[in-house]
Amino acid sequence: MMIVMKEGATEAQIAEVVERVESVGARAHVSRGEFVTVIGAVGSHDDEVAGLGLEDHPAVDRVVPILRPYKLASAQFRHGEPTVVEVEGRRIGGDHFAVIAGPCTVESRETMLEAARAMRDAGAHLLRGGAYKPRTSPYSFQGLGEAGLALLREAKEETGLPIVTEVMDVRDVERVVEVADVVQLGARNMQNYNLLTEVGRAGKPVLLKRGLAATLDELLMAAEYVLKEGNPNVILCERGIRTFESSYRFTLDIMAVPVLKELTHLPVIVDPSHAAGRRSLVEPLSLAAAAAGADGLIVEVHPNPDAAVCDGPQQLRAETFAEYLKRVEQAAELAGKVIQAGV
Amino acid sequence: MMIVMKEGATEAQIAEVVERVESVGARAHVSRGEFVTVIGAVGSHDDEVAGLGLEDHPAVDRVVPILRPYKLASAQFRHGEPTVVEVEGRRIGGDHFAVIAGPCTVESRETMLEAARAMRDAGAHLLRGGAYKPRTSPYSFQGLGEAGLALLREAKEETGLPIVTEVMDVRDVERVVEVADVVQLGARNMQNYNLLTEVGRAGKPVLLKRGLAATLDELLMAAEYVLKEGNPNVILCERGIRTFESSYRFTLDIMAVPVLKELTHLPVIVDPSHAAGRRSLVEPLSLAAAAAGADGLIVEVHPNPDAAVCDGPQQLRAETFAEYLKRVEQAAELAGKVIQAGV
Amino acid sequence: MMIVMKEGATEAQIAEVVERVESVGARAHVSRGEFVTVIGAVGSHDDEVAGLGLEDHPAVDRVVPILRPYKLASAQFRHGEPTVVEVEGRRIGGDHFAVIAGPCTVESRETMLEAARAMRDAGAHLLRGGAYKPRTSPYSFQGLGEAGLALLREAKEETGLPIVTEVMDVRDVERVVEVADVVQLGARNMQNYNLLTEVGRAGKPVLLKRGLAATLDELLMAAEYVLKEGNPNVILCERGIRTFESSYRFTLDIMAVPVLKELTHLPVIVDPSHAAGRRSLVEPLSLAAAAAGADGLIVEVHPNPDAAVCDGPQQLRAETFAEYLKRVEQAAELAGKVIQAGV
Amino acid sequence: MMIVMKEGATEAQIAEVVERVESVGARAHVSRGEFVTVIGAVGSHDDEVAGLGLEDHPAVDRVVPILRPYKLASAQFRHGEPTVVEVEGRRIGGDHFAVIAGPCTVESRETMLEAARAMRDAGAHLLRGGAYKPRTSPYSFQGLGEAGLALLREAKEETGLPIVTEVMDVRDVERVVEVADVVQLGARNMQNYNLLTEVGRAGKPVLLKRGLAATLDELLMAAEYVLKEGNPNVILCERGIRTFESSYRFTLDIMAVPVLKELTHLPVIVDPSHAAGRRSLVEPLSLAAAAAGADGLIVEVHPNPDAAVCDGPQQLRAETFAEYLKRVEQAAELAGKVIQAGV
């Protein structure tokens, strides 16, 4: 913590702040500038110093945190070495670019298997599909639940594609990890700390979506909840943030990709479908994400989006997916990625 | 749903959109203006029409939802009559203004009882205190849990003040409602739908905080999850939203108060402490909220904030609380409220 | 500037940063903490140090500015003494609360004089009215221009109310200051630096509106452009910022009021009309602003809003204005203001 | 305009709203749905209907504008045909991708000419450089002004590169257009309507930057101010918007690129330098913009950024620029652009 004093702070006021800093066990390091004095609180007592509320001291201008709040998630923790998450032979992170594709929701056996086959044939690396669906309205379809999980298992058996699916409730973690190769935590649950902890303990790789108003620091702190349970395989996912612009559903924060790659060793992927909300925007955003250095994409594709149970408008058509994938991989190559074969 | 066609849309294109609208069971109502044609999709098929993805049709400009997505939470549902939540004789809503006060966290028996007595003596109407604490960092204090609930029960026995406390996990709902007179759902859990449902079923009044990037429509949809379980006693709480301004922790959205009062029959209170993050801002924000017509406040007060386990800087000092309460009630009277006696 | 090094920065890297800091004439002050080293750049070379781009150095985590960028606008500049702007006997700032009221636009001689008389009779302190109107659309009414200024002059002659009116163009400053007692700079022109400078030179008090996405620091820097021309009479005005919430036109940032009062000696007023965009929200927001400690309000009132040339929906009705004013002043008294008589 | 009535609106209330709509000359078109009634106001009287303030009518839920407010800027105005701006043989728009590069500011004859030669040799299509600089602080360097314009003229004479430079003040338009081949309007001046009008009249192509909190509709309305003066050559520029995320200076809104391409016929370019604020982010953002379908980039490049007078940290190094340009053009080709030769 650095405590910046106001111009004109007296020696007595400086001494008072020093005393308060030392009262919680930190060392105070006073640095007198031409205009203002800055007091550094040295030692691992950031929480205690923050708790002093020095912002309200009449001679204090600001209190500035210095240490990043996350440890295990920071790039320094692995000395700049990227984490590569490996899921049944597919790699995400480092030089490896992977595409997770499939329908928004598991709707029926027929649609799910048709989608899975189409994804495998087109060369997707992993298969997505939601059995539990967080819905803004209590009157909307909430997912097939356990029956949906069974269909995902069947889709994997038939196609060999590893499964990515969401868990929303701590009581479902056990049954979801039986089927999922990667457990997804949605944007609305990014700060559901008990769920993060349970998923961390379950051991399977975790796909963690950024909350729609979460800072990058908060995203990394959420990852830290998983990592501290001994689970090193966290994939971060940018999926659009909320801004004043209402022409589109969310604003894809493309800068989060290169900035996260500097801050953390964890892989960073992008979800263009939820950001866009409309099919025609998905490809431009996908190319942008790959060109900006993302380690992969998670994208919604449906055999017949017009009949989809939910989010039809944003799902790509399965018949155009192979072409889309080729262009996306070219963009990833521009950013230095080696493309791996699909199944 | 209104489907706004682009200028220059042909008759064939209009017919095509009409056909798609009718294909999901809605009636299409075509309105030809001087410049553009608007197709109204009439009937209760909003989800299905939205699922058609007409935004991507080459002749469609925009698709505009017409119906508010919530029903039970809307002001019309009670024909303009406000809901008054009654908790052991204290009333919140309608003409009634109530102040919920107490420490951020239940820290120890001594502090909790001291705080409870101070709140009672100063005239607070309900007592707050967190046993389960959602914390950004996994390394921060996470609350006393069950032991904290026991201390809250003791505080109520001694002072008679009804208890407001937060639940974060569906597995804890049962034990929290045994102690809580009002169950709080935090901002980070506003869209934790399973938790909303469980809390709705538990039957106790619910204090529902607005997520830090939630629209008012989303807040009301979250309330709808509780209401549809047959629990009519939901208190909405504005606690600051996230904006570009980084001089303060959150931006208190004071306009949410009068606007929510128009949209819904539910009571609306304000949490100035979390918005401000600093003690010196709490009183101006409290007066503003009361003057703007809020039905109450939930405010953090601590016997010794400098030694508080968490959020000390934003907690009011207990010794100044009675004075603060007097001024806040004067502001509420200006907005037409009748002040009720504390315990 | 404080340069925060990454964990694991080597001595050689620290020395390199020190050398770069010193290369632009600043002194480097190295502070070694338990985890990270912080290098303070001491001396008045902030721009030069910022220009080094040390953020991109591989061993630098962040560069944190320490000095507030404004000088003349800071509370310290007047040692905590508030500026009271005096306009023909009316005072704004310190203990003084003033209400500026009148129609959005100068529309016609008849309406303007009727409005002016109504404002005087109700007890407003200053009269507002726009002759030059910044309009989003080139097809909207752009104001009466010089003819509007002449009507404002006439309104003042008849009622004695000092005039507040906007200038949008450097070429109009001279003719506007001939009529205006307070020159208004609109939100869209907050960073029109040449206009700020010209208005600063013209010498009349300036009402400076916060840009809709301007931080408080940027608002104070804009004020600094006026102040540095030797014009000390700047009134700051919060008028709503742009956020993700689209239920209302802008989000009134009520926290800006108490926070600005801490940062600066300049008076701070609130414009509830533009924030709200709807008449029914104007009174709750006005009461909130006064209760939060604002030094005044600028509010749109019209003799017949339904027939107003622009922004009719947000203008208060003149016949209810005296009642409104009474309640607003009671709220200001709650916040410690002494109410001054109108004309 | 569509006026959405509340559920339960009576026939008398509907008739009342119809009457008010008709009172301003519009035709009312009543559409009765299962739950709510919608009244369409047909005819070109949007401003008048908006001015009625029907939002405040007790039986009205919302008023929804239907027509896009811009006409000349809309894609329909040219029946889907893109505008290609041609500047001395370089083309921007349609299939043509162009890169505008050069230093942030014109600093000195030597640096400017060195930069210009480097840009020409690397294959840039146009040369940028600021003679008039809008600066947040009145104490920062404000540009060389007329002397800077003379140096830009010399740089063009030597290299043949067309010049892009900013104008900030209506009084400077005449002298800037003598030198500029493309006149730039900065983000802070996007809603400086008189400047837009003057620049529209001056006839030279205009590069119009999006304001940092401007919606796409507002950007297109600002373009409309230029277009309506008979100047068809407007290039739109996304340069980052302001959001809650404070890890970077601005958030590059990459979605604006494909969405603007749907809404308007005007070319859309991206400024990655101002969005990023840091050199290391400029290339990922540039690749993303090109891959998303932008018609070009405007990027800051300096022979010696460490010694630059302003914004050094975000300027690319001239010696790496040719390599950068090659990769950017590959990304543009992925998005379907034909690359044109530099000078």
Side-chain angles (χ1 to χ4, degrees):
Chain A
M1 287 289 175
M2 306 302 276
I3 298 114
V4 183
M5 304 299 292
K6 287 183 180 162
E7 278 191 65
T10 64
E11 283 305 311
Q13 289 172 318
I14 292 170
E16 201 178 304
V17 171
V18 165
E19 195 187 348
R20 303 226 22 222
V21 164
E22 292 175 346
S23 75
V24 295
R27 274 183 300 121
H29 184 284
V30 179
S31 164
R32 287 181 163 79
E34 199 163 332
F35 301 101
V36 301
T37 293
V38 177
I39 300 170
V42 181
S44 50
H45 301 79
D46 265 26
D47 276 9
E48 290 87 344
V49 176
L52 292 170
L54 293 166
E55 294 88 343
D56 272 342
H57 188 287
V60 169
D61 183 46
R62 270 170 308 153
V63 177
V64 183
I66 291 301
L67 295 179
R68 296 272 175 193
Y70 44 89
K71 297 175 178 66
L72 308 173
S74 83
Q76 279 79 47
F77 182 72
R78 285 174 54 92
H79 310 289
E81 186 73 18
T83 284
V84 179
V85 175
E86 189 161 337
V87 186
E88 307 218 343
R90 287 78 171 170
R91 291 178 174 164
I92 307 178
D95 296 334
H96 308 282
F97 184 85
V99 176
I100 304 166
C104 175
T105 305
V106 183
E107 299 170 8
S108 69
R109 185 168 181 275
E110 193 187 355
T111 319
M112 191 63 224
L113 294 183
E114 185 185 348
R117 282 182 222 114
M119 295 305 96
R120 178 199 56 197
D121 296 347
H125 303 96
L126 297 96
L127 180 66
R128 59 152 293 149
Y132 298 96
K133 299 298 301 175
R135 302 302 299 272
T136 307
S137 167
Y139 309 115
S140 300
F141 174 64
Q142 312 267 323
L144 290 181
E146 285 192 65
L149 292 177
L151 294 175
L152 286 169
R153 185 198 299 268
E154 197 177 341
K156 181 180 175 184
E157 279 162 9
E158 179 157 341
T159 61
L161 287 172
I163 299 297
V164 182
T165 198
E166 179 166 354
V167 67
M168 287 172 58
D169 189 316
V170 286
R171 297 169 299 189
D172 297 326
V173 171
E174 209 172 321
R175 69 178 68 99
V176 170
V177 295
E178 270 176 42
V179 171
D181 298 290
V182 177
V183 183
Q184 179 179 321
L185 269 156
R188 293 176 180 90
N189 278 314
M190 193 202 84
Q191 294 190 311
N192 186 333
Y193 300 120
N194 292 11
L195 187 55
L196 288 164
T197 298
E198 294 296 344
V199 163
R201 287 176 186 160
K204 284 279 176 74
V206 176
L207 193 166
L208 178 61
K209 289 197 166 181
R210 181 184 183 187
L212 54 84
T215 62
L216 299 190
D217 270 8
E218 287 170 340
L219 172 59
L220 291 169
M221 287 308 280
E224 193 88 3
Y225 265 94
V226 177
L227 296 170
K228 84 164 201 315
E229 298 301 326
N231 185 341
N233 291 311
V234 178
I235 302 162
L236 304 173
C237 181
E238 160 62 28
R239 45 74 76 205
I241 59 173
R242 192 155 265 177
T243 71
F244 64 84
E245 177 57 70
S246 55
S247 302
Y248 13 95
R249 207 151 43 145
F250 296 102
T251 300
L252 185 74
D253 180 5
I254 195 74
M255 288 174 87
V257 174
V259 174
L260 281 171
K261 304 287 287 181
E262 289 178 1
L263 295 176
T264 183
H265 54 86
L266 297 170
V268 179
I269 71 170
V270 167
D271 174 350
S273 308
H274 282 87
R278 292 201 284 131
R279 192 175 304 121
S280 64
L281 302 178
V282 172
E283 182 166 327
L285 295 183
S286 300
L287 294 174
D295 296 307
L297 296 170
I298 178 165
V299 61
E300 293 189 0
V301 193
H302 194 282
N304 181 11
D306 305 328
V309 167
C310 80
D311 280 345
Q314 77 196 26
Q315 304 198 48
L316 293 181
R317 296 180 192 285
E319 73 253 31
T320 64
F321 182 64
E323 273 305 306
Y324 158 90
L325 198 56
K326 205 165 72 186
R327 283 190 294 275
V328 163
E329 293 183 339
Q330 287 175 311
E333 281 180 293
L334 260 183
K337 296 289 179 184
V338 175
I339 303 308
Q340 55 195 317
V343 183
Chain B
M1 290 289 173
M2 306 303 276
I3 297 113
V4 183
M5 304 299 291
K6 288 182 180 162
E7 278 192 64
T10 64
E11 284 304 312
Q13 288 173 318
I14 293 170
E16 201 179 304
V17 170
V18 165
E19 195 187 348
R20 305 231 16 226
V21 164
E22 292 175 346
S23 75
V24 295
R27 274 184 302 121
H29 184 284
V30 179
S31 164
R32 287 183 163 78
E34 197 163 332
F35 301 103
V36 300
T37 294
V38 177
I39 300 169
V42 181
S44 53
H45 300 80
D46 265 24
D47 277 8
E48 290 87 343
V49 176
L52 292 170
L54 292 166
E55 295 88 342
D56 272 341
H57 188 286
V60 170
D61 184 45
R62 270 168 309 152
V63 177
V64 183
I66 291 302
L67 297 177
R68 296 270 176 195
Y70 44 89
K71 299 177 176 66
L72 309 173
S74 83
Q76 280 79 46
F77 183 73
R78 284 174 56 92
H79 310 288
E81 186 72 21
T83 285
V84 179
V85 175
E86 189 161 338
V87 186
E88 309 218 342
R90 286 78 171 173
R91 291 178 175 164
I92 307 179
D95 295 334
H96 308 283
F97 184 86
V99 176
I100 305 166
C104 175
T105 306
V106 183
E107 298 169 11
S108 68
R109 185 166 182 278
E110 194 188 354
T111 319
M112 192 63 226
L113 295 183
E114 187 186 346
R117 282 182 221 115
M119 296 305 94
R120 177 199 56 198
D121 296 347
H125 304 96
L126 297 96
L127 180 66
R128 57 152 295 151
Y132 299 96
K133 299 297 300 175
R135 302 302 298 275
T136 308
S137 167
Y139 309 116
S140 299
F141 174 64
Q142 312 268 324
L144 289 181
E146 286 192 64
L149 292 176
L151 295 175
L152 286 168
R153 184 196 301 268
E154 198 177 339
K156 179 178 177 186
E157 279 161 10
E158 180 156 340
T159 62
L161 286 171
I163 299 297
V164 181
T165 197
E166 179 165 354
V167 66
M168 288 171 57
D169 190 317
V170 284
R171 297 170 298 189
D172 297 327
V173 171
E174 208 171 323
R175 69 178 68 101
V176 170
V177 296
E178 270 175 40
V179 171
D181 298 290
V182 177
V183 183
Q184 179 178 322
L185 268 155
R188 293 177 181 89
N189 278 314
M190 193 201 86
Q191 294 190 312
N192 186 334
Y193 300 119
N194 293 12
L195 186 56
L196 288 164
T197 298
E198 294 297 343
V199 163
R201 287 175 187 161
K204 284 280 176 75
V206 175
L207 193 167
L208 177 61
K209 291 198 165 180
R210 179 184 185 190
L212 53 85
T215 62
L216 299 189
D217 269 9
E218 287 170 339
L219 172 60
L220 290 168
M221 287 306 282
E224 193 88 4
Y225 266 93
V226 177
L227 297 169
K228 84 166 201 315
E229 298 301 324
N231 184 341
N233 291 311
V234 179
I235 303 161
L236 305 173
C237 180
E238 160 62 28
R239 43 77 73 206
I241 59 172
R242 191 157 265 176
T243 72
F244 65 85
E245 177 58 69
S246 55
S247 301
Y248 13 94
R249 207 152 42 148
F250 296 103
T251 300
L252 186 75
D253 180 6
I254 195 74
M255 288 173 88
V257 174
V259 175
L260 281 171
K261 303 287 286 181
E262 290 179 0
L263 296 175
T264 183
H265 53 85
L266 298 170
V268 179
I269 70 170
V270 167
D271 173 350
S273 307
H274 282 88
R278 292 200 285 131
R279 191 174 304 121
S280 64
L281 303 178
V282 171
E283 182 166 327
L285 296 183
S286 300
L287 294 173
D295 297 307
L297 295 172
I298 177 165
V299 61
E300 294 188 0
V301 194
H302 194 282
N304 181 11
D306 305 328
V309 167
C310 81
D311 279 346
Q314 77 196 25
Q315 304 198 49
L316 293 181
R317 296 180 192 285
E319 74 252 30
T320 64
F321 182 64
E323 273 304 306
Y324 158 91
L325 198 56
K326 207 165 69 185
R327 285 189 294 273
V328 163
E329 293 182 339
Q330 287 175 310
E333 281 180 294
L334 260 183
K337 297 289 179 184
V338 175
I339 303 307
Q340 55 195 317
V343 184
Chain C
M1 288 291 173
M2 306 302 277
I3 297 113
V4 183
M5 304 299 292
K6 288 183 180 162
E7 278 191 64
T10 64
E11 284 304 311
Q13 289 172 318
I14 293 169
E16 201 179 303
V17 170
V18 166
E19 196 187 348
R20 306 233 12 227
V21 165
E22 292 175 346
S23 75
V24 295
R27 273 183 302 120
H29 184 284
V30 179
S31 163
R32 286 181 164 78
E34 197 163 331
F35 301 103
V36 301
T37 293
V38 176
I39 300 169
V42 181
S44 52
H45 299 81
D46 266 26
D47 277 8
E48 290 88 342
V49 176
L52 291 171
L54 293 167
E55 294 88 342
D56 272 341
H57 189 286
V60 169
D61 184 45
R62 272 170 306 152
V63 177
V64 183
I66 292 302
L67 297 177
R68 297 272 175 192
Y70 43 89
K71 297 176 177 66
L72 309 172
S74 83
Q76 280 79 48
F77 183 74
R78 283 174 56 93
H79 310 289
E81 187 73 20
T83 284
V84 179
V85 174
E86 190 162 337
V87 186
E88 307 218 343
R90 287 76 170 174
R91 291 178 175 166
I92 307 178
D95 295 335
H96 308 282
F97 184 85
V99 176
I100 305 165
C104 176
T105 305
V106 183
E107 300 170 8
S108 69
R109 184 166 182 279
E110 192 187 358
T111 320
M112 192 63 225
L113 294 182
E114 185 185 349
R117 283 182 221 113
M119 295 306 95
R120 177 199 56 198
D121 296 347
H125 303 97
L126 298 97
L127 180 66
R128 57 151 294 150
Y132 298 97
K133 299 296 301 175
R135 301 303 299 272
T136 307
S137 167
Y139 309 116
S140 300
F141 174 64
Q142 312 269 323
L144 290 181
E146 285 192 67
L149 292 177
L151 295 175
L152 286 169
R153 184 196 302 268
E154 197 177 341
K156 181 179 176 184
E157 280 162 8
E158 178 155 342
T159 62
L161 286 171
I163 299 297
V164 181
T165 198
E166 179 166 354
V167 67
M168 288 171 57
D169 190 316
V170 284
R171 297 169 299 189
D172 296 326
V173 171
E174 209 171 322
R175 70 178 67 99
V176 169
V177 296
E178 270 176 40
V179 171
D181 297 291
V182 177
V183 183
Q184 178 178 321
L185 267 155
R188 293 177 180 90
N189 278 314
M190 193 201 85
Q191 294 190 312
N192 185 332
Y193 300 119
N194 292 10
L195 187 56
L196 289 164
T197 298
E198 294 296 344
V199 163
R201 287 176 186 159
K204 285 278 177 75
V206 175
L207 192 166
L208 177 61
K209 290 198 165 181
R210 180 184 184 190
L212 54 84
T215 61
L216 300 189
D217 269 8
E218 288 170 339
L219 172 59
L220 291 169
M221 287 306 282
E224 193 88 4
Y225 265 94
V226 177
L227 297 170
K228 85 168 200 312
E229 298 301 325
N231 184 341
N233 291 313
V234 179
I235 302 162
L236 304 174
C237 180
E238 160 61 30
R239 44 77 74 205
I241 59 172
R242 190 156 267 176
T243 71
F244 65 86
E245 177 58 68
S246 55
S247 300
Y248 12 96
R249 206 151 43 146
F250 296 102
T251 300
L252 186 75
D253 180 5
I254 195 74
M255 288 173 87
V257 175
V259 174
L260 281 171
K261 304 287 287 181
E262 290 178 1
L263 295 176
T264 183
H265 54 86
L266 298 169
V268 179
I269 70 171
V270 167
D271 173 351
S273 308
H274 282 88
R278 293 202 283 131
R279 191 175 304 121
S280 64
L281 303 178
V282 172
E283 181 166 327
L285 295 183
S286 300
L287 293 174
D295 297 307
L297 294 171
I298 177 165
V299 61
E300 294 189 359
V301 194
H302 193 282
N304 181 11
D306 305 329
V309 167
C310 81
D311 279 345
Q314 78 195 23
Q315 305 198 49
L316 292 182
R317 295 179 192 285
E319 74 252 29
T320 64
F321 182 65
E323 273 305 306
Y324 158 91
L325 198 57
K326 204 166 70 185
R327 284 190 295 275
V328 163
E329 292 182 340
Q330 286 175 311
E333 282 180 295
L334 260 183
K337 297 289 180 185
V338 176
I339 303 307
Q340 56 195 318
V343 184
Chain D
M1 288 291 173
M2 306 303 276
I3 297 113
V4 183
M5 304 299 291
K6 287 183 180 162
E7 278 192 64
T10 64
E11 282 305 310
Q13 289 173 318
I14 292 170
E16 201 179 303
V17 171
V18 165
E19 195 187 347
R20 304 229 18 225
V21 164
E22 292 175 347
S23 75
V24 294
R27 274 183 300 122
H29 184 283
V30 179
S31 163
R32 286 182 164 79
E34 197 162 332
F35 301 102
V36 301
T37 294
V38 177
I39 300 169
V42 181
S44 51
H45 300 79
D46 266 26
D47 276 9
E48 290 87 343
V49 176
L52 292 170
L54 293 167
E55 294 88 343
D56 272 342
H57 189 285
V60 169
D61 184 44
R62 271 169 306 152
V63 177
V64 183
I66 290 302
L67 296 178
R68 297 270 175 193
Y70 45 87
K71 298 176 177 67
L72 309 173
S74 83
Q76 279 79 47
F77 182 73
R78 284 174 54 93
H79 310 289
E81 187 73 19
T83 284
V84 180
V85 175
E86 189 161 340
V87 187
E88 308 219 342
R90 286 79 172 171
R91 290 177 175 166
I92 307 180
D95 296 335
H96 308 282
F97 184 86
V99 176
I100 304 165
C104 176
T105 305
V106 183
E107 298 170 8
S108 69
R109 185 167 181 277
E110 192 187 356
T111 319
M112 192 62 224
L113 294 182
E114 186 185 348
R117 282 181 222 116
M119 295 305 95
R120 177 199 57 197
D121 296 346
H125 303 97
L126 297 96
L127 180 66
R128 60 152 291 150
Y132 299 96
K133 300 296 302 174
R135 302 303 299 272
T136 308
S137 167
Y139 309 117
S140 299
F141 174 64
Q142 312 267 325
L144 290 181
E146 285 191 66
L149 292 177
L151 294 177
L152 286 169
R153 184 196 301 269
E154 196 177 341
K156 181 180 175 185
E157 279 162 9
E158 178 156 341
T159 61
L161 286 172
I163 298 298
V164 181
T165 198
E166 179 166 353
V167 66
M168 289 171 56
D169 189 318
V170 285
R171 297 168 299 189
D172 297 326
V173 171
E174 207 171 324
R175 68 179 69 99
V176 169
V177 296
E178 270 175 42
V179 171
D181 298 290
V182 177
V183 183
Q184 179 179 320
L185 270 156
R188 293 177 181 89
N189 278 313
M190 193 202 84
Q191 294 190 312
N192 186 331
Y193 300 120
N194 292 11
L195 187 56
L196 288 164
T197 298
E198 295 296 343
V199 163
R201 287 175 186 161
K204 283 279 176 75
V206 175
L207 193 167
L208 177 62
K209 290 198 165 181
R210 181 185 184 187
L212 54 85
T215 62
L216 299 189
D217 269 9
E218 287 170 339
L219 172 59
L220 291 168
M221 287 307 281
E224 194 88 2
Y225 266 94
V226 177
L227 297 170
K228 85 167 200 315
E229 298 301 325
N231 185 341
N233 292 311
V234 178
I235 302 161
L236 305 173
C237 181
E238 159 62 29
R239 45 74 75 205
I241 59 173
R242 193 156 265 177
T243 72
F244 65 84
E245 177 57 69
S246 57
S247 302
Y248 13 94
R249 208 152 41 148
F250 296 102
T251 300
L252 185 75
D253 180 5
I254 195 74
M255 289 174 86
V257 174
V259 174
L260 281 171
K261 304 287 288 181
E262 289 178 1
L263 295 175
T264 184
H265 54 84
L266 298 170
V268 180
I269 70 170
V270 167
D271 174 350
S273 307
H274 282 87
R278 292 201 284 131
R279 192 175 303 123
S280 64
L281 302 178
V282 172
E283 181 166 327
L285 296 182
S286 300
L287 294 173
D295 297 307
L297 295 170
I298 177 166
V299 61
E300 294 188 0
V301 193
H302 194 282
N304 181 11
D306 305 328
V309 167
C310 80
D311 279 346
Q314 77 195 24
Q315 305 198 48
L316 293 182
R317 296 181 192 283
E319 73 253 30
T320 64
F321 182 64
E323 272 305 304
Y324 159 91
L325 198 57
K326 206 164 72 185
R327 283 189 294 274
V328 163
E329 292 183 339
Q330 286 176 311
E333 281 180 294
L334 260 183
K337 297 289 180 184
V338 176
I339 303 308
Q340 56 195 317
V343 184

